[in-house]
Amino acid sequence: MVTPVLPHQQQIGYKLLSMLNFKGKKAEEVAKTLISACLWNDSVENKSRAYDVSPQTVRNYVEKQGMEVIEKLLERARKISLEILKGVKEIDLSIDWTTKTWYGRPVKGSSEKGNSWNYATTKYKGKVLLLAFIPQVNGMTKDEIVKVLVEQVMAMGFKIRLITLDAGFYTVDVLNFVSQFKYIIAVLVGDVKVYEEFDGDYTTNSKRHRRDEQVKFRLLVYSKEKVRRKSLVYFARATNLDLSKREVLKLYNKVRSPIETSYRNIKAFLPFTGSTKFVFRTLIFVLALVLYSLYTIFKGTVRREKFRLLLILLFSDDLFYLKDFLFKSIELLINNIDLFSRR
């Protein structure tokens, strides 16, 4: 049997490895371990054995050089998004955060028992693109997080047409900041104490802020029937848009849903680890983000699991005997790889 040859295999492999620019005798093995763990959705410790490197060596490399590598990974993700958005001047922006919990002693630098990351995305031609990222550490307020993410996006040259946020970002300070843009923010009805259909002006009543610091906005409250309990459940949105209630709710779902669902795809590339170090967990999450960003280039052409297997081929010689349909699909990856291969 003739072993199929993947065109430009070494070149593409080198590009993937260059994202993790560790320095040292075991740098390549560490990089391969991390990428392999992401592609297989496996533990870093388990995959390290396949590359003849100890789990502790991988941890040492990440803990000493991780922040520099994280910056390069994020730069790569932003370049991918900028290339896809070439010529686009105005975008709709969604901001979200996710937390990866663990069980043990608290992590130094983390905001809770685990690690939290905040990121901003936009959707363009069916692709959810990462634009900004910031890890959450002790002492960071919601408005500081939103400001940093928005500043990163604006520094890329984009004008923000609309910002959508979930209820976790509903604070007076966030409202004051985003009021310079068009926005829609989810609100817990318990925070506004309105338990009926409503569309009108509302002013915050925060005890932590002076009267002149309170924010006035348009509040929308709507209900959905909970079938099992045969009762109505109320939901709320804060906005400054001058559209009908139905249009605002529809627009929020349209802009917000992609970032809510994108985490499922990110999680598909997120490896496991026994390390509790903040830098280690941040790096593997950012690497999963980058692989997801790369996947978005080919979304609609290659399904996620097939995309994953095609990348696995670049690092696993013993997998060249996969079914024929994988090799027929490889040309789809090669035809689109130019975007990723650019420096």
Side-chain angles (χ1 to χ4, degrees), residues 98-102 107 110 113-117 277-278 281:
T98 187
T99 298
K100 188 72 174 177
T101 58
W102 61 280
V107 182
S110 177
K113 193 175 181 179
N115 302 109
S116 299
W117 303 278
K277 296 294 184 179
F278 183 73
R281 287 179 167 255

Side-chain angles (χ1 to χ4, degrees), residues 72-88:
K72 184 161 186 178
L73 286 170
L74 290 172
E75 180 185 356
R76 177 71 66 177
R78 285 190 286 264
K79 283 184 177 179
I80 291 172
S81 297
L82 281 171
E83 192 68 31
I84 294 174
L85 291 167
K86 185 178 291 185
V88 176

Side-chain angles (χ1 to χ4, degrees), residues 24-36:
K25 188 180 293 186
K26 291 286 186 177
E28 184 173 330
E29 288 82 356
V30 169
K32 286 181 176 180
T33 296
L34 293 168
I35 293 174
S36 180

Side-chain angles (χ1 to χ4, degrees), residues 305-321:
E305 292 310 304
K306 189 178 291 186
F307 168 81
R308 182 205 303 277
L309 290 172
L310 293 173
L311 289 186
I312 287 174
L313 288 173
L314 302 177
F315 296 93
S316 304
D317 293 339
D318 58 334
L319 291 179
F320 277 156
Y321 296 96

Side-chain angles (χ1 to χ4, degrees), residues 29-257:
E29 288 82 356
V30 169
K32 286 181 176 180
T33 296
L34 293 168
I35 293 174
S36 180
C38 285
L39 295 178
W40 285 99
N41 202 213
D42 199 354
S43 75
V44 175
E45 290 78 8
N46 185 47
K47 281 299 173 185
S48 68
R49 300 186 185 95
Y51 295 99
D52 195 27
V53 61
S54 72
Q56 187 58 52
T57 298
V58 176
R59 287 193 286 268
N60 290 341
Y61 269 75
V62 173
E63 289 169 21
K64 291 179 181 179
Q65 304 178 42
M67 295 311 297
E68 181 182 344
V69 173
I70 288 169
E71 285 303 314
K72 184 161 186 178
L73 286 170
L74 290 172
E75 180 185 356
R76 177 71 66 177
R78 285 190 286 264
K79 283 184 177 179
I80 291 172
S81 297
L82 281 171
E83 192 68 31
I84 294 174
L85 291 167
K86 185 178 291 185
V88 176
K89 302 296 183 184
E90 196 172 43
I91 60 169
D92 295 328
L93 191 69
S94 285
I95 292 175
D96 201 6
W97 88 86
T98 187
T99 298
K100 188 72 174 177
T101 58
W102 61 280
Y103 301 96
R105 292 178 298 175
V107 182
K108 183 179 179 181
S110 177
S111 61
E112 54 185 275
K113 193 175 181 179
N115 302 109
S116 299
W117 303 278
N118 305 269
Y119 52 100
T121 66
T122 190
K123 185 177 180 181
Y124 180 70
K125 293 185 177 180
K127 306 177 190 298
V128 183
L129 306 172
L130 176 71
L131 298 178
F133 174 88
I134 182 174
Q136 185 168 331
V137 297
N138 283 327
M140 290 187 72
T141 61
K142 296 297 184 183
D143 61 299
E144 288 173 340
I145 292 167
V146 174
K147 285 177 184 177
V148 170
L149 293 174
V150 167
E151 286 170 0
Q152 288 183 27
V153 171
M154 296 183 72
M156 297 170 77
F158 294 114
K159 181 179 179 182
I160 298 174
R161 180 170 50 229
L162 176 70
I163 294 180
T164 62
L165 300 162
D166 73 5
F169 288 99
Y170 175 74
T171 69
V172 170
D173 292 324
V174 170
L175 282 165
N176 269 312
F177 175 73
V178 300
S179 291
Q180 62 186 296
F181 308 101
K182 298 297 183 183
Y183 67 84
I184 311 174
I185 304 177
V187 182
L188 298 175
V189 291
D191 290 341
V192 293
K193 303 295 191 297
V194 178
Y195 301 96
E196 61 183 0
E197 293 285 338
F198 183 82
D199 182 355
D201 291 338
Y202 180 89
T203 303
T204 58
N205 188 28
S206 171
K207 295 180 180 179
R208 297 182 179 181
H209 296 78
R210 302 189 307 269
R211 182 176 296 180
D212 62 338
E213 293 177 327
Q214 305 298 329
V215 183
K216 183 178 180 180
F217 58 86
R218 180 186 175 194
L219 177 67
L220 306 177
V221 181
Y222 65 100
S223 62
K224 284 186 178 180
E225 185 177 359
K226 206 164 187 177
V227 179
R228 290 185 179 179
R229 296 183 180 180
K230 295 182 179 180
S231 61
L232 292 178
V233 179
Y234 289 93
F235 302 88
R237 302 285 183 262
T239 186
N240 58 357
L241 291 175
D242 187 21
L243 298 172
S244 70
K245 183 177 181 179
R246 181 179 180 182
E247 287 176 308
V248 172
L249 300 179
K250 185 177 180 180
L251 183 59
Y252 178 85
N253 292 334
K254 178 183 177 181
V255 176
R256 185 72 197 168
S257 294

